[in-house]
């Protein structure tokens, strides 16, 4: 009983800290930053979070104390207090602005209509971004992004993880975020299980499923790793690359702003036989999809009214 009582007091102390510091906060955009034991940090701005509540539940006979994040009148996130390393309240930085919920908006390869013409519309993939823990080498430089389900024309569900590089110049009040297309690390621990018909359309009669190349050393490994890569314009090879979007301090105040990556490049969502992926070694099996015009937005894309 004494142990449980201490746990309740510790959890309540966290809530008291939130309330006390919030009442003394300065003007401007403020946020609650919660550093977790898994080495990441959640950023929760006042502009989105209505309040925090404290509850507890019993799991496997153990009482767990929970911090609930309330957005739009609903619990948007629940954090076990045992997983919290540190909690801080203060003014949000330009770097912290990129944590939280985003949408990766892009145009997939499309599919043929009744006339055989390829038709596509923009799709929106929900992204949740967290920061590395303060004090680590990656803090201030990287943003970790996760997609629960990458849009797929046949409804297959696969998650994806990618990294954004961050830079900002205080003097010019401008910065960049850079989407890292990584040919060394698959986007997920899952392996692709779709058949040839589930790959992107090559034409109205065929898909971008190539199968295992006879030039691949060792033949079919039986693996179907998934990567996000780009195409080198000069060599036409698929490879890892970085796509940069420019922004200003003023852009961060505009909830409608689109952080657009270079339109001449596309994101190739591919399957491959090996880790890392190598175009030269003929690792690719096919293109699950090809996403054009990628950009980050604070809300899903909606078709403009004519």
């Amino acid at each position: 009983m004494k142990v449980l009582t201490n746990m309740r007091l510790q959890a309540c102390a966290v809530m008291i800290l939130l309330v006390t510091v919030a009442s003394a906060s300065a003007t401007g955009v403020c946020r609650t930053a919660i550093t977790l034991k898994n080495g990441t940090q959640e950023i929760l701005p006042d502009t989105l979070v209505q309040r925090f509540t404290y509850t507890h539940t019993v799991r496997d006979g153990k009482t767990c104390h929970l911090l609930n994040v309330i957005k739009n009148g609903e619990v948007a996130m629940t954090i076990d207090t045992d997983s919290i390393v540190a909690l801080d309240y203060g003014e949000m930085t330009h770097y912290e602005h990129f944590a939280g919920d985003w949408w990766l908006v892009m145009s997939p390869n499309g599919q043929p209509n009744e006339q055989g013409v390829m038709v596509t519309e923009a799709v929106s993939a929900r992204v949740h971004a967290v920061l590395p823990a303060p004090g680590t080498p990656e803090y201030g430089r990287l943003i970790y992004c996760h997609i629960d389900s990458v849009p797929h024309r046949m409804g297959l569900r696969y998650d994806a993880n990618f990294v954004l590089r961050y830079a900002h110049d205080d003097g010019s009040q401008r910065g960049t975020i850079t989407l890292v297309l990584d040919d060394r690390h698959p986007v997920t621990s899952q392996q692709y299980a779709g058949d040839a018909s589930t790959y992107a359309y090559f034409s109205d009669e065929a898909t971008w499923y190539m199968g295992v190349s006879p030039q691949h050393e060792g033949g079919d490994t039986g693996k179907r790793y998934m990567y996000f890569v780009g195409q080198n314009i000069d060599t036409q090879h698929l490879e890892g690359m970085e796509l940069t979007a420019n922004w200003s301090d003023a852009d961060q105040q505009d909830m409608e702003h689109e952080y657009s990556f270079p339109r001449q490049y596309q994101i190739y969502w591919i399957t491959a036989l090996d880790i890392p992926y190598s175009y030269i070694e003929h690792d690719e099996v096919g293109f699950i999809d090809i996403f054009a015009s990628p950009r980050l937005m604070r809300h899903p894309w909606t078709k403009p009214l004519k």
Side-chain angles (χ1 to χ4, degrees):
M1 178 64 71
K2 184 177 180 179
V3 173
L4 292 178
T5 301
N6 288 339
M7 290 175 66
R8 290 191 184 98
L9 290 174
Q10 291 169 3
C12 288
V14 171
M15 293 306 299
I16 291 171
L17 176 62
L18 275 171
V19 174
T20 302
V21 179
S23 64
S25 64
T27 60
V29 179
C30 291
R31 88 297 181 263
T32 301
I34 302 177
T35 304
L36 303 173
K37 288 181 179 178
N38 64 8
T40 65
Q41 186 181 56
E42 295 280 356
I43 302 297
L44 304 165
D46 288 359
T47 51
L48 297 177
V49 178
Q50 292 172 308
R51 65 185 187 279
F52 296 85
T53 61
Y54 162 71
T55 57
H56 68 275
T57 187
V58 177
R59 297 175 185 161
D60 300 324
K62 178 185 176 181
T63 301
C64 300
H65 302 271
L66 308 174
L67 187 65
N68 303 302
V69 181
I70 309 300
K71 298 181 182 180
N72 299 320
E74 299 179 350
V75 177
M77 181 185 303
T78 297
I79 302 174
D80 193 319
T81 58
D82 284 344
S83 69
I84 298 175
V85 174
L87 188 150
D88 174 71
Y89 187 83
E91 190 167 350
M92 189 164 63
T93 66
H94 295 296
Y95 174 54
E96 292 172 336
H97 168 85
F98 288 104
D101 292 328
W102 292 85
W103 296 85
L104 181 62
V105 178
M106 48 203 174
S107 298
N109 189 66
Q111 58 190 64
N113 60 16
E114 295 179 354
Q115 289 74 40
V117 177
M118 290 293 179
V119 177
T120 186
E121 291 188 1
V123 297
S124 304
R126 191 183 187 96
V127 175
H128 185 69
V130 297
L131 307 180
T136 61
E138 294 81 13
Y139 186 81
R141 297 175 48 248
L142 300 182
I143 302 157
Y144 302 135
C145 301
H146 174 77
I147 300 174
D148 279 339
S149 183
V150 183
H152 189 280
R153 67 181 180 86
M154 297 187 70
L156 301 182
R157 293 179 59 87
Y158 293 98
D159 69 326
N161 300 282
F162 61 93
V163 171
L164 295 174
R165 296 192 191 279
Y166 168 88
H168 179 260
D169 179 73
D170 291 336
S172 65
Q173 297 186 342
R174 304 191 68 84
T176 60
I177 52 169
T178 300
L179 172 61
V180 178
L181 302 180
D182 190 348
D183 57 5
R184 305 197 63 80
H185 303 93
V187 295
T188 176
S189 59
Q190 294 179 282
Q191 292 192 35
Y192 194 67
D195 60 27
S197 69
T198 65
Y199 286 75
Y201 277 108
F202 175 76
S203 67
D204 59 353
E205 297 179 349
T207 67
W208 274 109
Y209 173 79
M210 286 84 79
V212 178
S213 170
Q215 300 179 68
H216 180 263
E217 185 176 351
D220 191 346
T221 65
K223 304 297 184 181
R224 297 296 183 269
Y225 301 110
M226 288 180 274
Y227 295 85
F228 286 167
V229 293
Q231 186 176 52
N232 186 308
I233 294 176
D234 296 324
T235 65
Q236 301 299 302
H237 292 178
L238 297 181
E239 59 188 45
M241 61 175 55
E242 299 189 355
L243 309 179
T244 298
N246 299 296
W247 52 273
S248 69
D249 290 6
D251 292 333
Q252 290 194 333
Q253 308 304 316
D254 181 6
M255 296 299 287
E256 300 299 317
H257 182 74
E258 299 183 14
Y259 296 83
S260 297
F261 302 102
R263 296 296 176 94
Q264 66 267 39
Y265 292 101
Q266 299 172 315
I267 299 174
Y268 285 75
W269 180 18
I270 67 169
T271 57
L273 302 171
D274 300 312
I275 302 175
Y277 161 75
S278 171
Y279 179 87
I280 302 299
E281 296 174 9
H282 305 281
D283 285 342
E284 69 277 353
V285 178
F287 307 163
I288 305 170
D289 215 327
I290 306 170
F291 296 116
S293 304
R295 62 263 195 207
L296 274 179
M297 300 175 61
R298 278 297 190 187
H299 55 76
W301 185 84
T302 55
K303 190 173 183 177
L305 296 175
K306 293 184 178 180

